[in-house]
Amino acid sequence: MNEDLEFKDIDEDDEEEVKIPEIHGTKNYMTRACYNRLLDERKNLVLVERPNVVNVVAWAASNGDRSENADYQYGKQRLREIDRRIRFLNKRIEASEVIDIDKRPPTDQIFFGATIVYANEQGDESKIRIVGIDEADASVGDVSWISPIARVFLKHFEGDTVLLPAPKGVKKLEILEVTYVNDPPGKPHII
């Protein structure tokens, strides 16, 4: 294998593209399930995808003129993307603070990992789960612990009423139920 195909072929400009959402002075909280998904993705990239692309690039490079070789050009680009994602995952994993929801003592107070059923003033019920930045997905009700709605609920109790500032005025929300479920079954997670 050519030495120019190793990690050292990455442009310095790529480092700037690794954007990590964070709040200064806080940790990267995440559930155990999210942490395991990040580890699995990194393992797949390092042990499966990257070696496969390196083999394609090595084969394409052996075919001669690299300037007009689409397999070579695409392969090098894909290697940079994979390496960038690996660096991103390494930083997220290194900064992580894993919260094991299953180990939390029973409580009806809202903390990280809580699933909250709440009602608005019209009585319409909604459900959200407070999770980490890396696993937030509003389409399934998972909101980041730093989101405005999560911050309004944090540290309140089942039965409390909270006020959520919104563009059309303040919304009054009643907390109906607080539960803690580590990773609901059948729930798709996309990273």
Side-chain angles (χ1 to χ4, degrees), residues 20-21 28 30 88-96 133-134:
I20 298 177
N28 181 25
M30 66 179 64
F88 174 82
L89 292 169
N90 285 339
K91 288 179 181 180
R92 297 310 286 168
I93 291 166
E94 182 181 306
S96 69
I133 296 168
D134 296 306

Side-chain angles (χ1 to χ4, degrees), residues 20-53:
I20 298 177
E22 63 182 56
I23 293 182
H24 297 289
T26 63
K27 298 188 183 210
N28 181 25
Y29 296 110
M30 66 179 64
T31 63
R32 171 71 53 200
C34 177
Y35 182 76
N36 290 339
R37 280 191 295 276
L38 295 180
L39 289 176
D40 289 345
E41 181 184 358
R42 180 178 67 181
K43 181 178 178 182
N44 182 60
L45 288 172
V46 169
L47 299 179
V48 178
E49 282 196 52
R50 190 173 197 290
N52 288 341
V53 174

Side-chain angles (χ1 to χ4, degrees), residues 37-89:
R37 280 191 295 276
L38 295 180
L39 289 176
D40 289 345
E41 181 184 358
R42 180 178 67 181
K43 181 178 178 182
N44 182 60
L45 288 172
V46 169
L47 299 179
V48 178
E49 282 196 52
R50 190 173 197 290
N52 288 341
V53 174
V54 167
N55 288 337
V56 169
V57 170
W59 167 81
S62 71
N63 288 335
D65 186 11
R66 296 176 185 184
S67 65
E68 294 184 18
N69 186 330
D71 288 325
Y72 179 81
Q73 296 297 329
Y74 172 77
K76 294 293 280 184
Q77 177 184 348
R78 182 67 185 129
L79 272 177
R80 285 190 296 275
E81 292 167 359
I82 290 170
D83 290 342
R84 189 177 309 120
R85 182 66 182 170
I86 290 169
R87 284 192 309 274
F88 174 82
L89 292 169

Side-chain angles (χ1 to χ4, degrees), residues 109-125:
Q109 189 173 16
I110 299 171
F111 296 106
F112 181 92
T115 299
I116 305 147
V117 177
Y118 64 94
N120 62 16
E121 293 174 273
Q122 293 75 34
D124 299 326
E125 292 186 12

